[in-house]
Amino acid sequence: VDRRTRFGTIIAVSVVVGCLVTLRPPTSESVTTPVAALSTTERIQVVNNGMLGDYDPSTGNRTVTGIPCERAHAAAGTVACLSPADESINSRLTVMGPGYSARREIPLSGFPDAVRVSPSGRLVGYTVVVTTGLKHWHTYLPPSSGIVDVDTGVTLHPSADFTLADGPAASALFSGVTFADDNRFYLSMFVDKRRYLVEGDIRSRTMRRIAENVESPALSPDGTRLALRQIVDPSPESPRRLAVFDLGTRQTRQLPESRTTLTQPSWSDNHTVLYTVQRGDGRNDVWGVAAEGDGIPTELISGVSEPTVSR
Amino acid sequence: MLLRFTVTGVTGTVSRATLRLHRSDTGSSLGDGAVVTSLNNNTWSETGTTWNNQPAVNGASLGSLRGATRDSWYEVDVTSRIIGNGTYSIAIDTPRGGAVLDSRESGADTAPRLSVATVRDTKTPAGSEDPVLVGAGDIAGPGEGKEATAELLDKIPGTVFTAGDNAYQNGSSSDFSEYYEPSWGRHKARTRPSPGNHDYYTSGARDYYEYFGDSAGPAGLGYYSYDLGTWHIVSLNSETDMAVGSSQEKWLRQDLSASTKPCTLAYWHKPRFTSGAHSNNSGTGPLVEALYEANAEVIVTGHNHQYERFAPMDPDGRADDAKGIRHITIGNGGIGFYEWGTIQPNSEKRNNDTYGVMKFTLRANSYDWQFVPEAGKSFTDEGTGACH
C-alpha cells in the first residue's frame, strides 16, 4: 500500500487533539493504598495495534485511525507518530496538526523507539534503534535521536550538535527525549558501557549528566520529577524497573511494578504514572501506578499503548 | 547403480535407517561427486534394466558418498526415506566415475546393506505409526533455553527439523561445538536442518554445512527435500536468492512437481508473515507462491524469537480456507524472546515467554500440530488440519 495514499484517506477523521483538560483532584486522602485512575474525562490519544487512535475515559469508546503508528505523542495540537518499521527496518516520523493534517514527514532508519512533543507543540524528540525488543539475547546496537523544530524542519542531533558540559563523551548514544519547554530537555546517554540521565539546553547547545543507570525519562506535568526506567544491573539483559527521579533531591524511587514496561512511561496527572505492559500474546495494556510509590498497579486501558493525556 | 530393499517386520517408529555400501579394493578415488537419491519408481527389474530404459532419478536427495578408502564401508543416513515396512528404491549416481561399489553379485559379505533401527513408542496409542516431525528455530547460544528444548526432543521420536539460527552468535564451528552439540546435537542423526542468518555470519554458512554434513542437503545450497510417510518435506534457504527464476525457486518448483505425495510441509528461517518486530519478509514470497500453487499445507519458520500461528492464507496474506497455507513461526527454540509489534491479520495464536518445540504428526491425509512447552510452563497450542 502506498502510505501517502493511505495517509490521504484518513484526513476526514476529525478528532480534536490538545484541548484543555479538567484535572480532577488526586485520590482521596482517606485512601491509604491509592489505586491509580485516569484523572481526565477528555479523550486520550493511544496506539491501537499499530494504528493511531484514541480512548474516551467517560464512555470507554475507542476510535482507530488508519495512520500507522508504533509510537505516538501529542501536545498543544501537535501529534507526532513513528510508523512501524518496514522490512528494510525503515521508519518514518510524521508530525501532524489539527485533524491529523500532515506538517512534516521525516524518513528514519531503525525501529521506532520513542517520540515526545514539547509542551508548546513546537519541538518533537524522536528515537529509533537499529534493533530492539530483544528480551534476553541482546546485542546492543545504536539508537539515534533527533529534535525536530516543527516550524522550520531543522533537526538537532544530540550526538552531533551538543557538547557535554561535564567532560567529553565521544561516540555517546542518545535516546528517549522528554521536554520541559522549548529549551530544556532530558534524555538517556549510553557511553563507555554506562547509562546516564542527561539534561540538555538547546540555546547553549550543552548537556550535562544528572544521574546514572536510569533511562526513558518522562517529565511530570509540574516539571519536578521524571518517570523513568531504572537499570538494575549493568548487563544488557538487565530488567528495567519503573521508577521516579526527583529533580530536586536527585533521588530515584522504584515504583511497585516488577514487570518489564514497554517504552517510555507518561503521566496522567502529577500523581499517576502511566506505562504499557505487553502480554505474552502481543496485546498491550495501559497501566497506572501512584507516583509516590505507595499504590498498587492498576490496569486502566486494555488493548492499547502510548497513552497521551492532553493538558 | 540402482538398489531396491524390501523392509519387513518393523513394528515401531524407525529411529534410524543406515545404508551401507562397500567400496571394493579396485578403482580410483570417488571424490565428492556420488549422489544418493531416492527413486520413486519401484517397478524396474534387476535383469531387465538397461542404460536406455533406466528409470528417471526423480526422488529426494538422501546424501552423498565421501571419504572411504578402498576395501571399506560408506554409510549414508536414509532415515528420512525408510519410514517403515515397504519397498524402497535408491539410485547411486557417480557422474565423475570413480570408485567401484560392491553390489549383490559381489557376495553377502560386501553387498549393500540397509540397517533399520526402531523404537517402540509405548506412550502413543495404537495406530499412531504416523511419522512425527518435530523442531524449532533460533536454538543454541550461551543461555539455558537450548537444553530446555533438547530435553523435549529426548522424549519425542521422529525426524527433527530446525528453522535456522542453529548456533549463535555466528554459526561458527565453535558455536556449534560449544552450544549446539551438547544440546540439540544429541539428536543430530535424525535432524534435517535449515540455515538462518546467524549461521551465515560465518562466510557461506561453511561451518553449518560442515557440522550437519549430508543431513543439510547438498553443501552450500541449503535446500533439499525428503518424504515422511504420505508427506513431502521441503527444507529451504531464506538466506540466499529466492527470487522468481533463481536456482532455488526453480529447484523448488521442479521438486514439488516431481512429488507424488498428497501432503507437503516446508520450512526455512525468515517468516513471510509475522507480528514480530522483524517485519514480514516479502523476499520469501516466490517460495510461498510456488508452494501455494503446489497445494502445500504448512510453512514453518523462525527468525522472530516467538511463537505465532496463522490461519491458512493465500500468498498475499488473505484468509483462504480452500487452498491456504498455514504459516507457523517457531522461534522459541532456546535463544531468547522478542517483543511483539503490530498483530497481523489472521494471526491466531502467539506466545513470547515459553521455550518449546513444534510437533507435527503427519497423518495420511491430515496433520496434527502441537506446541510442546518446556518443563514447568503451561502455554500450548494444538489442532488439526486437512491436506488439500
Side-chain angles (χ1 to χ4, degrees), chain B residues 12 41 69 103 107 117 148-149 201 206 245 280 310 353 367 382:
Chain B
N41 179 336
T69 55
S103 63
T149 49
Y201 286 173
R206 185 187 61 237
N280 296 339
F310 285 87
D353 61 16
Y367 62 100
E382 51 194 313

Side-chain angles (χ1 to χ4, degrees), chain A residues 49-50 70 84-87 111 132-137 139 260 262 278-283, chain B residues 142 168-169 277-283 335-343 350-353:
Chain A
N49 192 33
E70 188 135 328
D86 62 20
E87 65 182 85
F111 290 106
T132 189
L134 314 184
K135 283 163 70 175
H136 296 309
W137 181 270
T139 306
T260 297
L262 196 70
Q278 186 170 78
R279 290 182 242 176
D281 69 359
R283 283 179 291 173
Chain B
Y168 281 78
Q169 177 70 5
H278 290 70
S279 72
N280 296 339
N281 187 301
S282 60
I335 196 60
F337 298 106
Y338 283 174
E339 283 168 0
W340 296 101
T342 304
I343 298 167
R350 295 169 303 279
N351 176 273
N352 73 344
D353 61 16

